[in-house]
Amino acid sequence: MGKKSDMRRFTRDLEREVKGIAREKIKRGGLEIECPACGSPMHASSGLNTCPACGKTTEVTFDWTNF
């Protein structure tokens, strides 16, 4: 890894791998968000989600275009 181009390739590949792992974890397990209606924390995955505090339904979609 003595060359500058080797380091850039290593960095690019590492970033791609980390982003891929993050995408898969979010797709499988969702993530914690703040309910847009009441502000309470809630677990959400892609699709329709209901806040346990206020009962409002929120649709969640993940935009991966810039990730």
Side-chain angles (χ1 to χ4, degrees), residues 12-28 64 67:
R12 184 190 65 229
D13 292 346
L14 181 62
E15 183 178 344
R16 186 178 300 141
E17 186 174 340
V18 168
K19 285 181 177 181
I21 291 169
R23 270 191 219 107
E24 284 305 310
K25 285 189 175 278
I26 291 171
K27 283 180 185 178
R28 276 190 268 129
W64 302 108
F67 183 74

PDB file of all heavy atoms in Angstrom, residues 12-28 64 67:
ATOM      1  N   ARG A  12     -11.882   3.620  -1.030  1.00  0.00           N
ATOM      2  CA  ARG A  12     -13.131   3.473  -1.790  1.00  0.00           C
ATOM      3  C   ARG A  12     -13.780   2.128  -1.509  1.00  0.00           C
ATOM      4  O   ARG A  12     -14.986   2.042  -1.255  1.00  0.00           O
ATOM      5  CB  ARG A  12     -12.844   3.626  -3.281  1.00  0.00           C
ATOM      6  CG  ARG A  12     -14.101   3.577  -4.134  1.00  0.00           C
ATOM      7  CD  ARG A  12     -13.792   3.491  -5.618  1.00  0.00           C
ATOM      8  NE  ARG A  12     -13.131   2.217  -5.885  1.00  0.00           N
ATOM      9  CZ  ARG A  12     -12.007   2.060  -6.576  1.00  0.00           C
ATOM     10  NH1 ARG A  12     -11.379   3.092  -7.071  1.00  0.00           N
ATOM     11  NH2 ARG A  12     -11.499   0.868  -6.767  1.00  0.00           N
ATOM     12  N   ASP A  13     -12.989   1.062  -1.531  1.00  0.00           N
ATOM     13  CA  ASP A  13     -13.533  -0.276  -1.280  1.00  0.00           C
ATOM     14  C   ASP A  13     -14.050  -0.411   0.149  1.00  0.00           C
ATOM     15  O   ASP A  13     -15.113  -1.008   0.368  1.00  0.00           O
ATOM     16  CB  ASP A  13     -12.472  -1.347  -1.548  1.00  0.00           C
ATOM     17  CG  ASP A  13     -12.111  -1.458  -3.020  1.00  0.00           C
ATOM     18  OD1 ASP A  13     -12.857  -0.914  -3.866  1.00  0.00           O
ATOM     19  OD2 ASP A  13     -11.070  -2.081  -3.321  1.00  0.00           O
ATOM     20  N   LEU A  14     -13.327   0.150   1.102  1.00  0.00           N
ATOM     21  CA  LEU A  14     -13.759   0.099   2.495  1.00  0.00           C
ATOM     22  C   LEU A  14     -15.067   0.862   2.685  1.00  0.00           C
ATOM     23  O   LEU A  14     -15.999   0.367   3.324  1.00  0.00           O
ATOM     24  CB  LEU A  14     -12.676   0.676   3.405  1.00  0.00           C
ATOM     25  CG  LEU A  14     -12.978   0.677   4.896  1.00  0.00           C
ATOM     26  CD1 LEU A  14     -13.165  -0.750   5.402  1.00  0.00           C
ATOM     27  CD2 LEU A  14     -11.856   1.377   5.659  1.00  0.00           C
ATOM     28  N   GLU A  15     -15.166   2.039   2.098  1.00  0.00           N
ATOM     29  CA  GLU A  15     -16.396   2.836   2.196  1.00  0.00           C
ATOM     30  C   GLU A  15     -17.578   2.092   1.569  1.00  0.00           C
ATOM     31  O   GLU A  15     -18.661   2.042   2.136  1.00  0.00           O
ATOM     32  CB  GLU A  15     -16.198   4.174   1.495  1.00  0.00           C
ATOM     33  CG  GLU A  15     -17.403   5.087   1.607  1.00  0.00           C
ATOM     34  CD  GLU A  15     -17.181   6.431   0.957  1.00  0.00           C
ATOM     35  OE1 GLU A  15     -16.018   6.797   0.672  1.00  0.00           O
ATOM     36  OE2 GLU A  15     -18.181   7.124   0.729  1.00  0.00           O
ATOM     37  N   ARG A  16     -17.370   1.487   0.421  1.00  0.00           N
ATOM     38  CA  ARG A  16     -18.430   0.731  -0.256  1.00  0.00           C
ATOM     39  C   ARG A  16     -18.906  -0.436   0.620  1.00  0.00           C
ATOM     40  O   ARG A  16     -20.095  -0.689   0.759  1.00  0.00           O
ATOM     41  CB  ARG A  16     -17.920   0.221  -1.595  1.00  0.00           C
ATOM     42  CG  ARG A  16     -19.004  -0.451  -2.420  1.00  0.00           C
ATOM     43  CD  ARG A  16     -18.493  -0.905  -3.767  1.00  0.00           C
ATOM     44  NE  ARG A  16     -18.007   0.223  -4.534  1.00  0.00           N
ATOM     45  CZ  ARG A  16     -16.928   0.202  -5.310  1.00  0.00           C
ATOM     46  NH1 ARG A  16     -16.209  -0.894  -5.422  1.00  0.00           N
ATOM     47  NH2 ARG A  16     -16.552   1.269  -5.974  1.00  0.00           N
ATOM     48  N   GLU A  17     -17.949  -1.131   1.234  1.00  0.00           N
ATOM     49  CA  GLU A  17     -18.301  -2.272   2.081  1.00  0.00           C
ATOM     50  C   GLU A  17     -19.071  -1.837   3.330  1.00  0.00           C
ATOM     51  O   GLU A  17     -20.076  -2.451   3.695  1.00  0.00           O
ATOM     52  CB  GLU A  17     -17.042  -3.032   2.490  1.00  0.00           C
ATOM     53  CG  GLU A  17     -17.352  -4.303   3.239  1.00  0.00           C
ATOM     54  CD  GLU A  17     -16.098  -5.123   3.525  1.00  0.00           C
ATOM     55  OE1 GLU A  17     -15.070  -4.926   2.856  1.00  0.00           O
ATOM     56  OE2 GLU A  17     -16.170  -5.962   4.423  1.00  0.00           O
ATOM     57  N   VAL A  18     -18.623  -0.774   3.980  1.00  0.00           N
ATOM     58  CA  VAL A  18     -19.298  -0.279   5.183  1.00  0.00           C
ATOM     59  C   VAL A  18     -20.716   0.181   4.851  1.00  0.00           C
ATOM     60  O   VAL A  18     -21.666  -0.118   5.575  1.00  0.00           O
ATOM     61  CB  VAL A  18     -18.483   0.854   5.835  1.00  0.00           C
ATOM     62  CG1 VAL A  18     -19.285   1.571   6.898  1.00  0.00           C
ATOM     63  CG2 VAL A  18     -17.197   0.300   6.425  1.00  0.00           C
ATOM     64  N   LYS A  19     -20.880   0.896   3.742  1.00  0.00           N
ATOM     65  CA  LYS A  19     -22.213   1.344   3.336  1.00  0.00           C
ATOM     66  C   LYS A  19     -23.124   0.157   3.033  1.00  0.00           C
ATOM     67  O   LYS A  19     -24.303   0.167   3.374  1.00  0.00           O
ATOM     68  CB  LYS A  19     -22.125   2.264   2.126  1.00  0.00           C
ATOM     69  CG  LYS A  19     -21.628   3.639   2.470  1.00  0.00           C
ATOM     70  CD  LYS A  19     -21.583   4.525   1.245  1.00  0.00           C
ATOM     71  CE  LYS A  19     -21.145   5.924   1.591  1.00  0.00           C
ATOM     72  NZ  LYS A  19     -21.132   6.789   0.397  1.00  0.00           N
ATOM     73  N   GLY A  20     -22.583  -0.875   2.394  1.00  0.00           N
ATOM     74  CA  GLY A  20     -23.377  -2.066   2.098  1.00  0.00           C
ATOM     75  C   GLY A  20     -23.847  -2.765   3.362  1.00  0.00           C
ATOM     76  O   GLY A  20     -25.005  -3.185   3.465  1.00  0.00           O
ATOM     77  N   ILE A  21     -22.968  -2.873   4.337  1.00  0.00           N
ATOM     78  CA  ILE A  21     -23.333  -3.496   5.614  1.00  0.00           C
ATOM     79  C   ILE A  21     -24.398  -2.669   6.319  1.00  0.00           C
ATOM     80  O   ILE A  21     -25.375  -3.210   6.838  1.00  0.00           O
ATOM     81  CB  ILE A  21     -22.079  -3.675   6.504  1.00  0.00           C
ATOM     82  CG1 ILE A  21     -21.153  -4.733   5.901  1.00  0.00           C
ATOM     83  CG2 ILE A  21     -22.473  -4.049   7.928  1.00  0.00           C
ATOM     84  CD1 ILE A  21     -19.779  -4.789   6.540  1.00  0.00           C
ATOM     85  N   ALA A  22     -24.234  -1.357   6.319  1.00  0.00           N
ATOM     86  CA  ALA A  22     -25.222  -0.476   6.954  1.00  0.00           C
ATOM     87  C   ALA A  22     -26.577  -0.609   6.282  1.00  0.00           C
ATOM     88  O   ALA A  22     -27.612  -0.695   6.956  1.00  0.00           O
ATOM     89  CB  ALA A  22     -24.747   0.974   6.911  1.00  0.00           C
ATOM     90  N   ARG A  23     -26.597  -0.618   4.940  1.00  0.00           N
ATOM     91  CA  ARG A  23     -27.868  -0.781   4.213  1.00  0.00           C
ATOM     92  C   ARG A  23     -28.577  -2.065   4.617  1.00  0.00           C
ATOM     93  O   ARG A  23     -29.773  -2.070   4.878  1.00  0.00           O
ATOM     94  CB  ARG A  23     -27.611  -0.811   2.707  1.00  0.00           C
ATOM     95  CG  ARG A  23     -27.653   0.503   2.063  1.00  0.00           C
ATOM     96  CD  ARG A  23     -27.652   0.337   0.538  1.00  0.00           C
ATOM     97  NE  ARG A  23     -26.828   1.371  -0.012  1.00  0.00           N
ATOM     98  CZ  ARG A  23     -25.622   1.210  -0.526  1.00  0.00           C
ATOM     99  NH1 ARG A  23     -25.083   0.020  -0.614  1.00  0.00           N
ATOM    100  NH2 ARG A  23     -24.940   2.221  -0.974  1.00  0.00           N
ATOM    101  N   GLU A  24     -27.843  -3.164   4.635  1.00  0.00           N
ATOM    102  CA  GLU A  24     -28.439  -4.459   4.978  1.00  0.00           C
ATOM    103  C   GLU A  24     -28.976  -4.463   6.400  1.00  0.00           C
ATOM    104  O   GLU A  24     -30.070  -4.974   6.653  1.00  0.00           O
ATOM    105  CB  GLU A  24     -27.423  -5.588   4.789  1.00  0.00           C
ATOM    106  CG  GLU A  24     -27.205  -5.949   3.351  1.00  0.00           C
ATOM    107  CD  GLU A  24     -28.493  -6.294   2.625  1.00  0.00           C
ATOM    108  OE1 GLU A  24     -29.287  -7.110   3.127  1.00  0.00           O
ATOM    109  OE2 GLU A  24     -28.726  -5.713   1.545  1.00  0.00           O
ATOM    110  N   LYS A  25     -28.247  -3.915   7.341  1.00  0.00           N
ATOM    111  CA  LYS A  25     -28.712  -3.877   8.734  1.00  0.00           C
ATOM    112  C   LYS A  25     -29.985  -3.046   8.854  1.00  0.00           C
ATOM    113  O   LYS A  25     -30.915  -3.415   9.566  1.00  0.00           O
ATOM    114  CB  LYS A  25     -27.631  -3.340   9.653  1.00  0.00           C
ATOM    115  CG  LYS A  25     -26.529  -4.332   9.911  1.00  0.00           C
ATOM    116  CD  LYS A  25     -25.597  -3.835  10.990  1.00  0.00           C
ATOM    117  CE  LYS A  25     -24.570  -4.871  11.323  1.00  0.00           C
ATOM    118  NZ  LYS A  25     -25.028  -5.874  12.243  1.00  0.00           N
ATOM    119  N   ILE A  26     -30.041  -1.916   8.174  1.00  0.00           N
ATOM    120  CA  ILE A  26     -31.234  -1.063   8.226  1.00  0.00           C
ATOM    121  C   ILE A  26     -32.407  -1.755   7.547  1.00  0.00           C
ATOM    122  O   ILE A  26     -33.531  -1.739   8.058  1.00  0.00           O
ATOM    123  CB  ILE A  26     -30.949   0.313   7.595  1.00  0.00           C
ATOM    124  CG1 ILE A  26     -29.983   1.091   8.487  1.00  0.00           C
ATOM    125  CG2 ILE A  26     -32.235   1.098   7.394  1.00  0.00           C
ATOM    126  CD1 ILE A  26     -29.450   2.368   7.866  1.00  0.00           C
ATOM    127  N   LYS A  27     -32.169  -2.390   6.404  1.00  0.00           N
ATOM    128  CA  LYS A  27     -33.251  -3.095   5.698  1.00  0.00           C
ATOM    129  C   LYS A  27     -33.815  -4.225   6.546  1.00  0.00           C
ATOM    130  O   LYS A  27     -35.023  -4.435   6.591  1.00  0.00           O
ATOM    131  CB  LYS A  27     -32.741  -3.667   4.374  1.00  0.00           C
ATOM    132  CG  LYS A  27     -32.590  -2.640   3.295  1.00  0.00           C
ATOM    133  CD  LYS A  27     -32.077  -3.300   2.027  1.00  0.00           C
ATOM    134  CE  LYS A  27     -31.804  -2.295   0.950  1.00  0.00           C
ATOM    135  NZ  LYS A  27     -31.265  -2.921  -0.261  1.00  0.00           N
ATOM    136  N   ARG A  28     -32.946  -4.967   7.235  1.00  0.00           N
ATOM    137  CA  ARG A  28     -33.401  -6.103   8.045  1.00  0.00           C
ATOM    138  C   ARG A  28     -33.991  -5.686   9.378  1.00  0.00           C
ATOM    139  O   ARG A  28     -34.982  -6.242   9.813  1.00  0.00           O
ATOM    140  CB  ARG A  28     -32.247  -7.072   8.287  1.00  0.00           C
ATOM    141  CG  ARG A  28     -32.054  -8.040   7.159  1.00  0.00           C
ATOM    142  CD  ARG A  28     -31.084  -9.120   7.510  1.00  0.00           C
ATOM    143  NE  ARG A  28     -29.753  -8.673   7.084  1.00  0.00           N
ATOM    144  CZ  ARG A  28     -28.685  -8.683   7.851  1.00  0.00           C
ATOM    145  NH1 ARG A  28     -28.747  -9.141   9.064  1.00  0.00           N
ATOM    146  NH2 ARG A  28     -27.537  -8.259   7.404  1.00  0.00           N
ATOM    147  N   TRP A  64     -31.580   5.621  -0.921  1.00  0.00           N
ATOM    148  CA  TRP A  64     -30.185   5.188  -0.928  1.00  0.00           C
ATOM    149  C   TRP A  64     -29.374   5.853  -2.040  1.00  0.00           C
ATOM    150  O   TRP A  64     -28.218   5.506  -2.252  1.00  0.00           O
ATOM    151  CB  TRP A  64     -30.103   3.669  -1.110  1.00  0.00           C
ATOM    152  CG  TRP A  64     -30.824   2.916  -0.053  1.00  0.00           C
ATOM    153  CD1 TRP A  64     -31.992   2.241  -0.180  1.00  0.00           C
ATOM    154  CD2 TRP A  64     -30.427   2.736   1.311  1.00  0.00           C
ATOM    155  NE1 TRP A  64     -32.353   1.671   1.005  1.00  0.00           N
ATOM    156  CE2 TRP A  64     -31.404   1.956   1.947  1.00  0.00           C
ATOM    157  CE3 TRP A  64     -29.343   3.167   2.063  1.00  0.00           C
ATOM    158  CZ2 TRP A  64     -31.327   1.599   3.278  1.00  0.00           C
ATOM    159  CZ3 TRP A  64     -29.267   2.826   3.387  1.00  0.00           C
ATOM    160  CH2 TRP A  64     -30.246   2.029   3.983  1.00  0.00           C
ATOM    161  N   PHE A  67     -26.267   7.550  -0.658  1.00  0.00           N
ATOM    162  CA  PHE A  67     -25.643   6.858   0.454  1.00  0.00           C
ATOM    163  C   PHE A  67     -24.646   5.870  -0.063  1.00  0.00           C
ATOM    164  O   PHE A  67     -24.813   5.108  -0.897  1.00  0.00           O
ATOM    165  CB  PHE A  67     -26.691   6.153   1.312  1.00  0.00           C
ATOM    166  CG  PHE A  67     -26.095   5.474   2.512  1.00  0.00           C
ATOM    167  CD1 PHE A  67     -25.654   6.203   3.583  1.00  0.00           C
ATOM    168  CD2 PHE A  67     -25.964   4.108   2.565  1.00  0.00           C
ATOM    169  CE1 PHE A  67     -25.108   5.597   4.701  1.00  0.00           C
ATOM    170  CE2 PHE A  67     -25.423   3.475   3.656  1.00  0.00           C
ATOM    171  CZ  PHE A  67     -24.990   4.223   4.721  1.00  0.00           C
TER     172      PHE A  67
END
